Amino acid sequence: MQLTYTPEQQAFRAEIRAWMEANVPKEPLVTLECREGYDQHVAWERTLASGNWGMVTWPEAYGGRGLDLIQWLIFEEEYFRAGGPNRANQNGIFLLGPTIMEFGTEEQKQRFLTPMAKGEVIWAQAWSEPGAGSDMAAISSKAVRDGDHYVITGQKTWSSRAAFADWGFGIFRTDPDSKRHKGLTFILFDLNSPGITRRPIRQLHGDTGFAELFFDEVRVPVENCLAGEGEGWNVAMATAGFERGLMLRSPGRFQATAKRLVDLYRQHEAEASPAAREAVMQAWMAAQAYAYNTYAVAAKIMAGGKIGAEASLNKIFWSELDRSMHRTAMQLLGAHAELKRFDDGSVNQWLEGYIFSLSGPIYAGSNEVQRNITAERLLGLPRVGAG
Amino acid sequence: MNMLFTEDQLTLAETVRDYLAGTHGPEVLRRLDADGNRDPAIWQGLVDMGLTGLLVPEAQGGLGLGLVDAALIAAECGRACLAEPLVDTAFVGVPWLVAQGKTDGLGEIVAGTRKVALSHQINPWVADGAGEALTSVDPLRHLSVHIERSRDTSAPGPSTSLGTSDEGDDHLLNLGALMSAAQLVGLADAMLSQAVEYAKIRTQFGQPIGAFQGLKHQLASCSVAIEFAKPVVWRAAQALADGLESAGVHISHAKVAATDAAMLTAETAIQTHGAMGYTYEVDLHFWMKRSWALAGAWGSRAFHLRRVDEAVLGGSLPIGPEHTFA
């Protein structure tokens, strides 16, 4: 165990800090969940790419910098220190990208990774279906082989970014006689393909980020299949591991929120309850704990280890931490909590953040499912329900 | 930057775990509880493994290892609900003595012939000291109101005291709190395992109760609390080893996180055991009671939360994403 940064790592931190200070938009962008905000965020992805900061851990050949996970964490810390915007392409760079790196052919890496790192192609996920939410193995959307194409028919829903994004990925049933986890294939598709209809869904906050996708005999080339036909479940589980276990929510995000919460407490100290004060301390402590754990996970992966079912612990922890920090902020704000914009015209980021935080324990696999996974795979308790 | 234990550290911890699992099972706790009849071979085994000299410099006949190694072993002592004064003697007393330059008695400590009881103003009483006795809820924890100075005894039992440390000796407080936190995560691990094992074998409504989500989710929540307390403890140990000015804050953080994890797990574990958990027959109570005792020792939760509060809200500790290891 060695918990100090090398001079090279410190120099790298200084380099990112200087770039971020010069380039991060001074005013917060409009929310990513609407056309205007989406366009602003995509423009930011391209600015990041112009500095070659799109995805620092990827090999240079695929638009990255070939850096290790500690450098990635330093990048993320500086990113959130500077108040960097949400990443429009997070489904691509944090979920699909690592999955392609692990399962993709060389041709697929060449074709998909660089445009992803450069923000030229923005990705949506397409996991859930109306009948397959927490129970993802109940997927019924079909991809039927026809020559060198799959013909996709079915429906996906809650597809993040799908209202505006360029491409999507998900798993589809390629073996019509298969059940549950078998006979599924991981397929990448152009969201502008003929036969795809997007129906944006208005979310709790009133804006539109995710969408329903209807597939009506959509033809997708076979080379868009990731790993082998029928391998979809295993590939999807690896993607979920990246999502829950490491990349989707780096600690800097929560440490930045905890710091803002400390500042908010100072502003409201006179009227705050002792319980709120303790909740603020808990926020700082939990965000730090999350950071230490992430450094440990990164070190483990760098030493050749893999992310296993403990990714579920991670997902439970960050999602409930985020909700609790924002709940505390809403309490501190009191009567001001309901305002969408404060008296000075600034957006009430705490309200937006609180509403968004309510989705955390639901997306990327509900926390009830994560607790089942924890109990069954980490603790070894008996399984229930359909396997 | 590398937040991983070395192979050597993990191997040593595993060796200690196996040794304690083999020689210091619940039957030992029960026997001690029943007649106080201590098996000196257990202490001797710890001595033979070099654990009493773990933090003693090599020049004084010890292994010369560090606080992170010691914290890992302290967690194993918690896991076994160890009823020998190894942690106080070797992982709190020794590094304090070394820092004070009081190296005269280290040879006896390494040899296992001198045990150490610790007195500090944060603790209203002394564990394993000699003096007017108090009764702890933990039947294997011997408390006394005051201690005699320099009382040499041979095993079994207490012990040579360090004497009362200087008022407000933060180093001793930090060592004591850190090693309590490490024991608490080990205790919590053990209580969770006991609950899980019981939930696998106890059947009701025709299936193991561990198949019910009502229990699964509670036990999973314990796992979350424990696994996110551990890295805080290791980080705190490294901070103290590195001599960071902020080490005390991180140790307080560790004590709060480990206490919360252990208290949650204790309550969940007894609930999992149902009425069995409320009996003296089931082993769980030893671990719960040790957890309750350590939760209050070396600074209460309120004390440690206040130390975090003073640093974070007081502004002496830099916070934010770029200050993870400040």
Side-chain angles (χ1 to χ4, degrees):
Chain A
M1 190 162 298
Q2 208 269 96
L3 302 184
T4 52
Y5 298 101
T6 63
E8 292 75 22
Q9 287 167 337
Q10 287 168 343
F12 178 61
R13 182 186 291 284
E15 182 192 349
I16 306 162
R17 186 170 298 182
W19 192 91
M20 289 293 163
E21 283 177 355
N23 289 279
V24 167
K26 297 288 173 268
E27 293 296 315
L29 304 185
V30 174
T31 168
L32 179 53
E33 317 277 339
C34 66
R35 182 82 242 177
E36 184 192 1
Y38 175 83
D39 290 342
Q40 288 182 3
H41 282 78
V42 172
W44 164 247
E45 287 292 323
R46 291 175 187 165
T47 304
L48 265 180
S50 74
N52 199 17
W53 296 115
M55 198 56 210
V56 295
T57 52
W58 293 1
E60 290 174 30
Y62 308 131
R65 286 175 173 243
L67 303 182
D68 66 29
L69 286 174
I70 299 301
Q71 289 165 307
W72 173 69
L73 280 165
I74 294 170
F75 170 80
E76 291 282 307
E77 287 173 350
E78 290 301 319
Y79 189 89
F80 285 103
R81 174 190 175 273
N86 290 330
R87 299 295 301 269
N89 217 7
Q90 65 178 25
N91 292 296
I93 55 179
F94 296 146
L95 311 187
L96 180 61
T99 312
I100 291 178
M101 210 74 79
E102 185 168 339
F103 295 97
T105 63
E106 186 52 39
E107 187 272 335
Q108 288 173 325
K109 292 178 189 173
Q110 299 275 2
R111 182 176 164 207
F112 294 116
L113 292 177
T114 302
M116 199 184 282
K118 297 212 170 300
E120 290 161 7
V121 175
I122 305 296
W123 288 82
Q125 58 80 9
W127 296 127
S128 295
E129 297 182 0
S134 287
D135 183 10
M136 202 167 79
I139 275 173
S140 65
S141 289
K142 289 183 188 57
V144 179
R145 185 73 179 258
D146 177 21
D148 52 5
H149 281 74
Y150 289 111
V151 179
I152 300 181
T153 302
Q155 184 184 348
K156 296 284 180 181
T157 191
W158 321 130
S159 293
S160 310
R161 301 282 88 75
F164 311 114
D166 305 304
W167 275 67
F169 61 89
I171 49 177
F172 298 86
R173 200 159 290 284
T174 40
D175 176 357
D177 300 324
S178 66
K179 291 247 181 314
R180 309 289 305 157
H181 311 84
K182 298 196 166 56
L184 297 166
T185 301
F186 198 108
I187 296 173
L188 319 180
F189 51 90
D190 186 340
L191 275 164
N192 293 315
S193 305
I196 293 183
T197 305
R198 318 185 198 194
R199 191 180 76 80
I201 300 169
R202 197 171 180 209
Q203 293 166 232
L204 184 60
H205 44 57
D207 294 316
T208 298
F210 50 35
E212 279 182 295
L213 296 174
F214 298 91
F215 298 79
D216 182 12
E217 301 197 345
V218 177
R219 295 183 70 80
V220 176
V222 168
E223 64 257 29
N224 288 9
C225 147
L226 194 58
E229 191 172 293
E231 295 296 314
W233 185 262
N234 291 336
V235 183
M237 286 306 101
T239 310
F242 294 124
E243 180 175 36
R244 296 166 190 160
L246 185 68
M247 288 219 142
L248 181 66
R249 293 288 176 254
S250 73
R253 179 190 182 104
F254 305 111
Q255 290 170 297
T257 304
K259 184 181 183 183
R260 287 170 52 225
L261 189 60
V262 167
D263 290 339
L264 186 73
Y265 178 83
R266 290 193 179 116
Q267 291 163 28
H268 294 271
E269 186 163 7
E271 69 270 17
S273 69
R277 186 176 185 117
E278 179 161 344
V280 172
M281 284 309 104
Q282 288 285 5
W284 177 79
M285 290 191 289
Q288 284 292 106
Y290 184 62
Y292 306 148
N293 188 64
T294 307
Y295 270 88
V297 172
K300 179 182 165 190
I301 294 172
M302 286 166 69
K306 286 205 173 282
I307 302 176
E310 69 273 15
S312 292
L313 297 174
N314 215 49
K315 198 263 158 167
I316 294 167
F317 193 82
W318 61 246
S319 58
E320 295 179 4
L321 164 62
D322 198 41
R323 183 173 60 182
S324 120
M325 287 197 292
H326 285 90
R327 181 198 309 128
T328 302
M330 293 290 277
Q331 289 166 357
L332 288 171
L333 284 167
H336 293 88
E338 70 169 310
L339 294 177
K340 294 189 85 166
R341 283 179 184 277
F342 293 126
D343 315 1
D344 63 4
S346 65
V347 172
N348 183 353
Q349 305 274 2
W350 290 114
L351 175 62
E352 280 193 2
Y354 180 57
I355 290 175
F356 181 68
S357 78
L358 297 175
S359 69
I362 301 169
Y363 66 75
S366 77
N367 286 13
E368 287 70 27
V369 170
Q370 303 313 313
R371 283 186 162 85
N372 284 349
I373 293 172
T374 299
E376 291 166 10
R377 299 201 204 144
L378 289 179
L379 300 180
L381 289 167
R383 300 196 64 162
V384 275
Chain B
M1 180 59 62
N2 182 5
M3 197 155 175
L4 272 191
F5 295 109
T6 63
E7 284 300 317
D8 285 351
Q9 287 172 324
L10 295 173
T11 303
L12 180 60
E14 203 179 311
T15 307
V16 174
R17 185 189 299 200
D18 291 347
Y19 171 75
L20 291 174
T23 60
H24 190 275
E27 66 288 350
V28 170
L29 303 179
R30 293 192 172 283
R31 196 177 61 229
L32 263 178
D33 183 26
D35 58 16
N37 198 1
R38 190 170 294 275
D39 176 2
I42 294 173
W43 177 254
Q44 194 54 47
L46 298 169
V47 172
D48 293 345
M49 292 168 81
L51 298 180
T52 45
L54 192 83
L55 297 180
V56 173
E58 287 179 271
Q60 269 97 32
L63 297 179
L65 296 180
L67 289 173
V68 172
D69 306 81
L72 253 183
I73 306 301
E76 294 308 325
C77 296
R79 188 188 312 280
C81 201
L82 182 64
E84 302 286 342
L86 178 69
V87 175
D88 276 7
T89 295
F91 304 158
V92 184
V94 166
W96 187 79
L97 286 168
V98 169
Q100 298 284 312
K102 298 178 180 173
T103 55
D104 289 354
L106 293 181
E108 289 170 75
I109 291 178
V110 175
T113 52
R114 178 182 285 229
K115 299 174 184 177
V116 174
L118 300 158
S119 166
H120 188 280
Q121 62 168 6
I122 195 81
N123 294 322
W125 28 76
V126 176
D128 296 312
E132 190 187 335
L134 286 165
T135 308
S136 167
V137 65
D138 177 352
L140 306 179
R141 189 170 154 89
H142 302 284
L143 299 178
S144 57
V145 181
H146 61 273
I147 52 171
E148 298 170 28
R149 286 164 188 268
S150 301
R151 176 175 173 273
D152 284 311
T153 62
S154 53
S159 78
T160 298
S161 84
L162 287 177
T164 305
S165 73
D166 298 340
E167 296 237 326
D169 185 318
D170 272 356
H171 189 221
L172 185 56
L173 165 64
N174 283 337
L175 287 164
L178 170 65
M179 294 304 163
S180 299
Q183 290 176 85
L184 281 162
V185 293
L187 285 156
D189 256 348
M191 290 187 287
L192 181 56
S193 295
Q194 289 168 24
V196 165
E197 289 313 307
Y198 186 77
K200 283 187 203 170
I201 55 164
R202 169 67 176 164
T203 55
Q204 283 287 272
F205 305 101
Q207 57 182 320
I209 59 172
F212 295 114
Q213 292 193 12
L215 262 189
K216 274 184 175 162
H217 289 190
Q218 292 186 56
L219 294 168
S221 293
C222 294
S223 196
V224 173
I226 296 168
E227 294 309 318
F228 280 89
K230 284 177 186 170
V232 182
V233 176
W234 315 141
R235 186 270 144 99
Q238 187 66 55
L240 191 58
D242 289 345
L244 292 195
E245 210 171 301
S246 60
V249 182
H250 300 303
I251 286 166
S252 285
H253 178 187
K255 183 85 195 301
V256 172
T259 297
D260 288 352
M263 296 301 278
L264 172 71
T265 306
E267 289 178 6
T268 308
I270 189 173
Q271 187 68 22
T272 302
H273 281 80
M276 287 300 289
Y278 202 71
T279 67
Y280 214 84
E281 284 165 47
V282 168
D283 300 327
L284 174 68
H285 75 96
F286 288 110
W287 276 258
M288 288 201 301
K289 292 166 179 173
R290 179 69 52 81
S291 301
W292 299 339
L294 290 180
W298 295 105
S300 65
R301 188 180 186 284
F303 171 85
H304 287 291
L305 200 56
R306 195 159 56 241
R307 275 216 305 186
V308 173
D309 185 308
E310 280 164 8
V312 171
L313 274 175
S316 62
L317 185 76
I319 63 170
E322 73 278 27
H323 295 301
T324 300
F325 291 101

